[in-house]
Amino acid sequence: MRKKLIAANWKMYKTSAEAGEFMRAFLPQVAGHTRDEIVICPPFVDILAVAEAAKGTNVGVGGQDLYWKNEGAFTGEVSAPMLRAAGCSHVIIGHSERRQFFGETDDAVNAKLKAALAAGLVPIVCVGEVIEERESGLTEEVLRRQCTRAFSELSGDDARTITVAYEPVWAIGTGKTATPQIVSEAHGVIRAEAGKAFGDDVARNMRILYGGSVKPENAKALMSQEEIDGALVGGASLDPKSFAAIVKY
Protein backbone atom coordinates (compact mmCIF):
# COMPACT_ATOMS: atom_id res chain seq x y z
CA MET A 1 0.00 0.00 0.00
CA ARG A 2 1.56 3.29 -1.13
CA LYS A 3 1.29 6.03 1.48
CA LYS A 4 -0.02 9.21 -0.08
CA LEU A 5 2.15 12.34 -0.13
CA ILE A 6 0.53 15.78 0.01
CA ALA A 7 3.13 18.42 -0.88
CA ALA A 8 2.76 22.21 -0.87
CA ASN A 9 4.65 24.16 -3.53
CA TRP A 10 4.61 27.76 -2.38
CA LYS A 11 6.44 28.96 -5.51
CA MET A 12 7.64 32.59 -5.09
CA TYR A 13 5.31 33.54 -2.25
CA LYS A 14 5.76 34.38 1.46
CA THR A 15 8.49 36.12 3.41
CA SER A 16 10.07 34.28 6.35
CA ALA A 17 7.71 36.07 8.73
CA GLU A 18 4.69 35.05 6.64
CA ALA A 19 5.99 31.47 6.50
CA GLY A 20 6.19 31.42 10.29
CA GLU A 21 2.62 32.70 10.56
CA PHE A 22 1.44 29.98 8.19
CA MET A 23 3.13 27.23 10.20
CA ARG A 24 1.65 28.48 13.49
CA ALA A 25 -1.82 28.32 11.97
CA PHE A 26 -1.34 25.12 9.96
CA LEU A 27 0.42 22.73 12.34
CA PRO A 28 -2.39 22.50 14.94
CA GLN A 29 -4.85 21.63 12.16
CA VAL A 30 -2.87 18.55 11.05
CA ALA A 31 -1.41 17.47 14.41
CA GLY A 32 -1.60 13.71 14.71
CA HIS A 33 -2.40 13.20 11.01
CA THR A 34 -0.49 10.06 10.02
CA ARG A 35 -2.55 8.71 7.11
CA ASP A 36 -0.58 10.81 4.62
CA GLU A 37 2.92 12.24 4.41
CA ILE A 38 2.88 16.07 4.48
CA VAL A 39 5.64 18.26 3.01
CA ILE A 40 5.95 22.04 2.66
CA CYS A 41 8.21 23.35 -0.13
CA PRO A 42 8.81 27.08 0.53
CA PRO A 43 11.15 29.49 -1.26
CA PHE A 44 14.81 28.96 -0.35
CA VAL A 45 14.92 31.95 1.99
CA ASP A 46 12.03 30.53 4.04
CA ILE A 47 13.37 26.99 4.48
CA LEU A 48 15.05 27.62 7.83
CA ALA A 49 11.93 29.26 9.28
CA VAL A 50 9.68 26.42 8.10
CA ALA A 51 12.12 23.71 9.19
CA GLU A 52 12.45 25.24 12.65
CA ALA A 53 8.67 25.41 13.04
CA ALA A 54 8.26 21.84 11.78
CA LYS A 55 10.76 20.25 14.19
CA GLY A 56 9.18 17.40 16.12
CA THR A 57 6.01 17.47 14.00
CA ASN A 58 4.58 15.24 11.28
CA VAL A 59 5.38 17.83 8.57
CA GLY A 60 8.46 17.62 6.35
CA VAL A 61 10.23 20.35 4.40
CA GLY A 62 11.37 20.39 0.79
CA GLY A 63 13.23 22.63 -1.64
CA GLN A 64 11.67 23.82 -4.88
CA ASP A 65 14.78 23.16 -6.98
CA LEU A 66 18.49 22.38 -6.69
CA TYR A 67 21.69 22.40 -8.72
CA TRP A 68 23.47 19.14 -9.55
CA LYS A 69 26.90 20.17 -8.25
CA ASN A 70 27.62 20.04 -4.51
CA GLU A 71 29.49 23.35 -4.54
CA GLY A 72 31.29 25.73 -6.87
CA ALA A 73 31.17 29.07 -8.66
CA PHE A 74 27.48 28.87 -9.58
CA THR A 75 26.02 32.19 -8.46
CA GLY A 76 22.42 31.97 -7.31
CA GLU A 77 22.26 28.17 -7.16
CA VAL A 78 21.59 25.90 -4.16
CA SER A 79 23.00 22.39 -3.79
CA ALA A 80 21.52 19.18 -2.40
CA PRO A 81 23.84 19.16 0.66
CA MET A 82 22.79 22.75 1.41
CA LEU A 83 19.13 21.73 1.36
CA ARG A 84 19.82 18.79 3.67
CA ALA A 85 21.75 21.01 6.08
CA ALA A 86 18.89 23.54 6.13
CA GLY A 87 16.42 20.84 7.19
CA CYS A 88 14.98 19.56 3.92
CA SER A 89 14.00 15.95 3.37
CA HIS A 90 12.46 16.42 -0.11
CA VAL A 91 13.05 18.46 -3.26
CA ILE A 92 10.96 19.29 -6.33
CA ILE A 93 12.75 18.68 -9.63
CA GLY A 94 11.74 19.70 -13.16
CA HIS A 95 8.62 21.69 -12.31
CA SER A 96 6.90 22.92 -15.46
CA GLU A 97 7.66 26.53 -14.55
CA ARG A 98 11.37 25.69 -14.36
CA ARG A 99 11.09 24.10 -17.80
CA GLN A 100 8.94 26.87 -19.30
CA PHE A 101 10.56 30.01 -17.89
CA PHE A 102 14.13 28.93 -17.15
CA GLY A 103 14.88 26.53 -19.98
CA GLU A 104 15.26 23.41 -17.85
CA THR A 105 15.87 20.37 -20.04
CA ASP A 106 15.20 16.67 -19.53
CA ASP A 107 18.96 16.14 -19.18
CA ALA A 108 19.13 18.77 -16.42
CA VAL A 109 16.28 16.99 -14.63
CA ASN A 110 18.27 13.75 -14.79
CA ALA A 111 21.40 15.43 -13.37
CA LYS A 112 19.40 17.03 -10.55
CA LEU A 113 17.67 13.74 -9.78
CA LYS A 114 21.02 11.97 -9.40
CA ALA A 115 22.28 14.74 -7.10
CA ALA A 116 19.17 14.61 -4.93
CA LEU A 117 19.37 10.84 -4.54
CA ALA A 118 23.09 10.97 -3.74
CA ALA A 119 22.36 13.43 -0.92
CA GLY A 120 19.53 11.35 0.51
CA LEU A 121 16.75 13.74 -0.51
CA VAL A 122 13.39 12.39 -1.65
CA PRO A 123 12.91 13.77 -5.17
CA ILE A 124 9.52 14.84 -6.52
CA VAL A 125 10.10 14.72 -10.27
CA CYS A 126 7.57 16.68 -12.32
CA VAL A 127 6.42 15.63 -15.78
CA GLY A 128 3.51 16.73 -17.93
CA GLU A 129 2.31 18.06 -21.26
CA VAL A 130 1.30 21.54 -22.43
CA ILE A 131 -2.09 22.16 -24.05
CA GLU A 132 -0.69 22.08 -27.62
CA GLU A 133 0.82 18.64 -26.99
CA ARG A 134 -2.41 17.28 -25.52
CA GLU A 135 -4.51 18.64 -28.39
CA SER A 136 -2.05 17.09 -30.87
CA GLY A 137 -2.33 13.69 -29.21
CA LEU A 138 1.27 13.78 -27.98
CA THR A 139 0.68 13.36 -24.24
CA GLU A 140 1.93 9.77 -24.08
CA GLU A 141 4.98 10.55 -26.23
CA VAL A 142 5.88 13.55 -24.03
CA LEU A 143 5.52 11.58 -20.80
CA ARG A 144 7.59 8.69 -22.14
CA ARG A 145 10.37 11.04 -23.23
CA GLN A 146 10.42 12.96 -19.96
CA CYS A 147 10.47 9.78 -17.86
CA THR A 148 13.04 8.00 -20.02
CA ARG A 149 15.47 10.92 -19.75
CA ALA A 150 14.79 11.54 -16.04
CA PHE A 151 15.36 7.86 -15.17
CA SER A 152 18.47 7.44 -17.35
CA GLU A 153 21.50 5.73 -15.75
CA LEU A 154 19.73 5.05 -12.45
CA SER A 155 19.36 1.61 -10.91
CA GLY A 156 16.34 0.05 -9.25
CA ASP A 157 17.99 0.56 -5.86
CA ASP A 158 18.57 4.24 -6.68
CA ALA A 159 14.94 4.67 -7.65
CA ARG A 160 13.17 3.35 -4.56
CA THR A 161 12.62 6.81 -3.07
CA ILE A 162 11.68 8.61 -6.31
CA THR A 163 8.25 10.22 -6.40
CA VAL A 164 6.83 11.47 -9.70
CA ALA A 165 4.28 14.28 -10.00
CA TYR A 166 2.11 14.34 -13.12
CA GLU A 167 1.31 17.96 -13.89
CA PRO A 168 -0.71 18.63 -17.01
CA VAL A 169 0.63 22.13 -17.63
CA TRP A 170 -2.72 23.29 -18.99
CA ALA A 171 -4.28 22.63 -15.55
CA ILE A 172 -1.74 24.52 -13.42
CA GLY A 173 -3.20 27.72 -12.03
CA THR A 174 -5.96 27.73 -14.62
CA GLY A 175 -8.76 26.33 -12.50
CA LYS A 176 -9.00 23.40 -14.92
CA THR A 177 -8.52 19.95 -13.43
CA ALA A 178 -7.74 16.85 -15.44
CA THR A 179 -10.50 14.24 -15.31
CA PRO A 180 -9.83 11.05 -13.34
CA GLN A 181 -9.60 9.18 -16.66
CA ILE A 182 -6.93 11.56 -18.02
CA VAL A 183 -4.94 11.29 -14.80
CA SER A 184 -5.26 7.51 -14.61
CA GLU A 185 -4.06 7.11 -18.20
CA ALA A 186 -1.10 9.42 -17.62
CA HIS A 187 -0.12 7.68 -14.40
CA GLY A 188 -0.31 4.35 -16.21
CA VAL A 189 2.20 5.59 -18.80
CA ILE A 190 4.52 6.87 -16.07
CA ARG A 191 4.35 3.62 -14.11
CA ALA A 192 5.03 1.61 -17.26
CA GLU A 193 8.14 3.68 -17.96
CA ALA A 194 9.28 3.19 -14.36
CA GLY A 195 8.79 -0.55 -14.86
CA LYS A 196 10.98 -0.53 -17.96
CA ALA A 197 13.70 1.45 -16.19
CA PHE A 198 13.66 -0.12 -12.73
CA GLY A 199 11.58 -3.30 -12.78
CA ASP A 200 8.01 -4.06 -11.81
CA ASP A 201 8.58 -4.12 -8.05
CA VAL A 202 9.97 -0.57 -7.95
CA ALA A 203 7.29 0.65 -10.37
CA ARG A 204 4.47 -0.84 -8.27
CA ASN A 205 5.72 0.97 -5.18
CA MET A 206 6.57 4.30 -6.82
CA ARG A 207 4.30 7.13 -5.73
CA ILE A 208 2.80 9.17 -8.56
CA LEU A 209 1.17 12.43 -7.48
CA TYR A 210 -1.23 14.68 -9.34
CA GLY A 211 -0.64 18.42 -9.62
CA GLY A 212 -2.93 20.85 -11.38
CA SER A 213 -5.46 23.10 -9.62
CA VAL A 214 -5.88 20.77 -6.64
CA LYS A 215 -8.17 22.42 -4.08
CA PRO A 216 -10.35 21.41 -1.12
CA GLU A 217 -13.37 21.00 -3.40
CA ASN A 218 -11.80 18.34 -5.62
CA ALA A 219 -9.20 16.76 -3.32
CA LYS A 220 -11.38 13.89 -2.12
CA ALA A 221 -12.45 12.88 -5.63
CA LEU A 222 -8.87 12.96 -6.86
CA MET A 223 -7.38 11.13 -3.87
CA SER A 224 -10.00 8.38 -4.13
CA GLN A 225 -8.49 7.27 -7.45
CA GLU A 226 -6.37 4.16 -7.07
CA GLU A 227 -3.60 5.48 -9.32
CA ILE A 228 -3.25 8.85 -7.55
CA ASP A 229 -0.77 8.62 -4.67
CA GLY A 230 -1.06 12.19 -3.45
CA ALA A 231 -0.94 15.75 -4.69
CA LEU A 232 1.48 18.55 -5.46
CA VAL A 233 -0.54 21.62 -4.47
CA GLY A 234 0.20 25.15 -5.65
CA GLY A 235 -2.08 28.12 -4.97
CA ALA A 236 -4.37 26.29 -2.56
CA SER A 237 -1.40 25.50 -0.31
CA LEU A 238 -0.75 29.16 0.50
CA ASP A 239 -3.63 29.36 2.96
CA PRO A 240 -3.28 27.15 6.07
CA LYS A 241 -6.99 26.37 6.31
CA SER A 242 -7.22 25.48 2.62
CA PHE A 243 -4.12 23.26 2.66
CA ALA A 244 -5.22 21.53 5.86
CA ALA A 245 -8.56 20.74 4.21
CA ILE A 246 -6.73 19.14 1.29
CA VAL A 247 -4.52 17.11 3.62
CA LYS A 248 -7.64 15.88 5.43
CA TYR A 249 -9.56 15.24 2.17
Side-chain angles (χ1 to χ4, degrees):
M1 183 69 177
R2 298 183 297 264
K3 186 171 185 175
K4 293 192 189 313
L5 168 62
I6 314 296
N9 176 16
W10 284 358
K11 308 191 181 186
M12 199 177 71
Y13 292 97
K14 297 192 185 298
T15 63
S16 292
E18 290 168 340
E21 291 173 6
F22 175 98
M23 294 299 283
R24 284 189 291 275
F26 175 69
L27 290 174
Q29 297 184 63
V30 297
H33 183 94
T34 58
R35 180 191 60 190
D36 313 284
E37 187 176 352
I38 309 166
V39 175
I40 307 282
C41 299
F44 291 136
V45 295
D46 297 342
I47 287 173
L48 287 173
V50 173
E52 184 63 30
K55 277 183 182 176
T57 75
N58 55 331
V59 176
V61 185
Q64 294 181 12
D65 188 26
L66 80 166
Y67 193 59
W68 55 82
K69 298 284 188 181
N70 285 349
E71 58 183 14
F74 305 106
T75 300
E77 295 294 338
V78 173
S79 71
M82 290 175 181
L83 292 177
R84 283 298 303 269
C88 289
S89 53
H90 294 65
V91 63
I92 298 170
I93 297 173
H95 191 278
S96 61
E97 289 157 4
R98 298 298 312 172
R99 297 176 188 260
Q100 180 181 357
F101 301 131
F102 303 102
E104 189 146 305
T105 65
D106 294 330
D107 289 335
V109 170
N110 176 249
K112 291 181 177 188
L113 176 54
K114 290 173 181 173
L117 292 170
L121 290 166
V122 175
I124 303 172
V125 183
C126 301
V127 297
E129 79 282 9
V130 299
I131 189 62
E132 293 82 8
E133 292 166 336
R134 167 151 289 278
E135 291 177 344
S136 299
L138 298 174
T139 296
E140 185 171 332
E141 180 181 326
V142 169
L143 293 177
R144 290 190 188 285
R145 185 200 76 231
Q146 290 175 335
C147 289
T148 299
R149 289 305 309 143
F151 298 157
S152 178
E153 299 177 344
L154 291 170
S155 69
D157 285 339
D158 292 330
R160 291 192 182 276
T161 63
I162 295 174
T163 296
V164 176
Y166 169 57
E167 298 185 308
V169 182
W170 46 270
I172 298 174
T174 63
K176 298 178 182 177
T177 306
T179 65
Q181 181 180 352
I182 287 173
V183 177
S184 183
E185 289 172 355
H187 285 209
V189 172
I190 294 164
R191 205 171 297 283
E193 290 305 306
K196 291 177 190 175
F198 308 125
D200 291 341
D201 181 58
V202 171
R204 264 193 310 271
N205 290 290
M206 181 176 285
R207 290 186 295 191
I208 305 177
L209 317 182
Y210 171 72
S213 295
V214 179
K215 43 190 178 286
E217 294 77 18
N218 61 23
K220 185 174 182 179
L222 289 167
M223 295 305 107
S224 67
Q225 301 300 310
E226 184 179 351
E227 267 298 320
I228 298 180
D229 303 317
L232 181 59
V233 186
S237 74
L238 295 172
D239 176 76
K241 184 177 179 181
S242 169
F243 189 51
I246 292 171
V247 169
K248 295 188 285 189
Y249 57 88

